[in-house]
Amino acid sequence: MTDAATRASSTLSERLDRLPFTRKHLRVLTGSGIGWALDAMDVGLISFIIAALAAQWSLTPTEAGWIASVGFVGMAIGASVGGLLADRFGRRQVFALTLLVYGVATGASALVGGLAALLVLRFLVGLGLGAELPVASTYVSEFAPARMRGRLIVILEAFWAVGWTLAALIGYFVIPASENGWRWAFALGAIPAAYALIVRWGLPESARWLERRGRFSQAESVVRSFEDAAGAAPVPASGRPLVPPAAATSLGQRLGTLWSAEFRVRTACLWLVWFCVNFSYYGAFIWIPSILVAQGYDLVRSFGFTLIITLAQLPGYAVAAWLIEVWGRRATLSVFLVGSAVSAIFFGTATGAGGVIAAGMALSFFNLGAWGALYAVTPEMYPTSLRATGSGWAAGVGRIASIVAPLVVPPLLVAGGAPVLFVVFAVFFAVAAAAAWGLVDRRGVALDDR
């Protein structure tokens, strides 16, 4: 056994946790964050494209709803399978593969001539996108020092606002510019296919995952590179690595352990939060441009309103990133969800351009801050051997709500208009706020390396 393999790898977590934030951490964060932003750009673009295609292709509300929902069907499957693959084959490999899949499928969507082909490609886009997000948050959390882990994951999630803003800019300037504007928007979404190659070769594999798989020399090399970047003194060798027993070692064990006595309460609460937040977020934000058009605003003006509303995501993330290490995970998540519920009611009853924009910005601020806190807390609920599986299945359950929400919006609008619709969203936010208190708060605590 090499010297690297005989180092005290039982202290691997401690060695990572004691490091300051370095340029290596920044590279992991930005490398993952750019992929995250490109994902958001894709999801955001579809809300603008639906509004354009509804007019150009004379789509019924149900057909328009399926364009959104079929992508979420793929996301539900992708999130569940992607987590299992990441625990088996590694975080970095799956991260790069998912970027490639959805980037190519999005670019191909620019060439479609009808609804059927678009639905097939949106499903493939969903497969890649659904797998990428929980894998990326797991990946970054396994490098982040414990004292700042929550904050860094919220910052990672903040890249979503960057991507959604890019989508809003494309929606405002590109889509209305010509009859084929929506095709150019899809073509721009193909950028992640090229970026996938950079991710694959430019970022290190998770040292915690490598150690868990018995690849001690590689894990040691990764950790040493971070210590070197920080100027930290090398850790002396002290015998054979002490690796804690894995919480689960096979696919069946991983799925079963999620519902073992130790994890069943946090799993149930986590799935409930994910379901409710997905329902309200995607139900609202996928349809906001179309709802504004239905209320009498022209396409360009509704896209402009949506762009302004989107910009409020950034301060929402900033406040959540600060509070999550001050208040803790549960309190921050719950407060932002309550704020989302109140904002949803105001948005549903807002009148006039000023009221719509103000209420929409409040909803954007609180809802995206809640998303940041949720992504921070999710990987912390499970040990290394099933962390990606637990994160992926929580996201997968949430995507079920993403499938349902765009389909129920049209009948709810017919039944009671925007006020009834956004009261329903507020109820889901409130349920999520209550369920958040069933999660475990691991602020400042090392990750479980079983």
Side-chain angles (χ1 to χ4, degrees), residues 275-361:
F275 186 92
C276 291
V277 172
N278 271 272
F279 183 90
S280 294
Y281 174 76
Y282 286 106
F285 282 87
I286 287 292
W287 280 96
I288 279 178
S290 298
I291 290 171
L292 293 174
V293 169
Q295 291 180 345
Y297 299 102
D298 62 46
L299 195 65
V300 174
R301 198 175 185 199
S302 71
F303 285 3
F305 285 179
T306 305
L307 174 59
I308 296 170
I309 289 169
T310 299
L311 294 176
Q313 295 180 9
L314 289 170
Y317 284 125
V319 175
W322 174 63
L323 289 177
I324 202 164
E325 300 294 2
V326 177
W327 289 356
R329 280 57 164 148
R330 288 180 301 195
T332 302
L333 177 58
S334 183
V335 167
F336 273 81
L337 286 169
V338 170
S340 299
V342 174
S343 300
I345 294 173
F346 279 115
F347 186 83
T349 57
T351 58
V356 168
I357 291 174
M361 291 180 71

Side-chain angles (χ1 to χ4, degrees), residues 171-197:
Y172 185 75
F173 290 108
V174 176
I175 294 176
S178 69
E179 184 178 346
N180 291 318
W182 63 271
R183 295 185 186 275
W184 287 109
F186 272 138
L188 290 171
I191 293 172
Y195 179 70
L197 298 177

Side-chain angles (χ1 to χ4, degrees), residues 28-102:
V28 166
L29 181 62
T30 56
S32 303
I34 293 172
W36 202 289
L38 293 171
D39 289 356
M41 184 176 74
D42 180 90
V43 175
L45 279 175
I46 200 64
S47 68
F48 297 99
I49 289 171
I50 286 173
L53 287 182
Q56 191 174 131
W57 287 1
S58 301
L59 299 177
T60 67
T62 299
E63 288 172 333
W66 270 110
I67 294 175
S69 289
V70 74
F72 295 125
V73 173
M75 290 174 74
I77 298 171
S80 303
V81 174
L84 290 167
L85 292 175
D87 277 334
R88 174 65 180 85
F89 297 106
R91 289 35 168 148
R92 183 182 64 171
Q93 262 71 336
V94 176
F95 183 32
L97 177 62
T98 57
L99 284 167
L100 186 61
V101 168
Y102 95 79

Side-chain angles (χ1 to χ4, degrees), residues 13 142 149 208 212 244-245 247 262-263 266 379-387 442 445-450:
S13 296
E142 291 182 344
R149 185 174 59 240
R208 296 176 191 269
R212 185 75 270 159
E262 180 179 359
F263 298 109
R266 68 184 75 172
E380 297 180 346
M381 294 298 98
Y382 303 105
T384 299
S385 57
L386 67 145
R387 182 168 297 122
R442 297 184 64 86
V445 178
L447 290 174
D448 185 345
D449 280 324
R450 287 178 294 166

Side-chain angles (χ1 to χ4, degrees), residues 7-20 25 141-147 149 206-212 219-220 222-224 226-227 235 241-244 382-385 387 442 444-450:
R7 291 187 184 280
S9 64
S10 62
T11 65
L12 183 148
S13 296
E14 297 170 359
R15 291 164 64 187
L16 288 171
D17 285 342
R18 71 184 174 90
L19 293 175
H25 290 100
S141 72
E142 291 182 344
F143 280 109
R147 66 187 178 279
R149 185 174 59 240
S206 165
R208 296 176 191 269
W209 180 83
L210 290 169
E211 181 191 49
R212 185 75 270 159
E220 172 66 26
V222 171
V223 174
R224 176 58 70 85
F226 277 76
E227 291 175 331
V235 177
L242 301 175
V243 182
Y382 303 105
T384 299
S385 57
R387 182 168 297 122
R442 297 184 64 86
V445 178
L447 290 174
D448 185 345
D449 280 324
R450 287 178 294 166

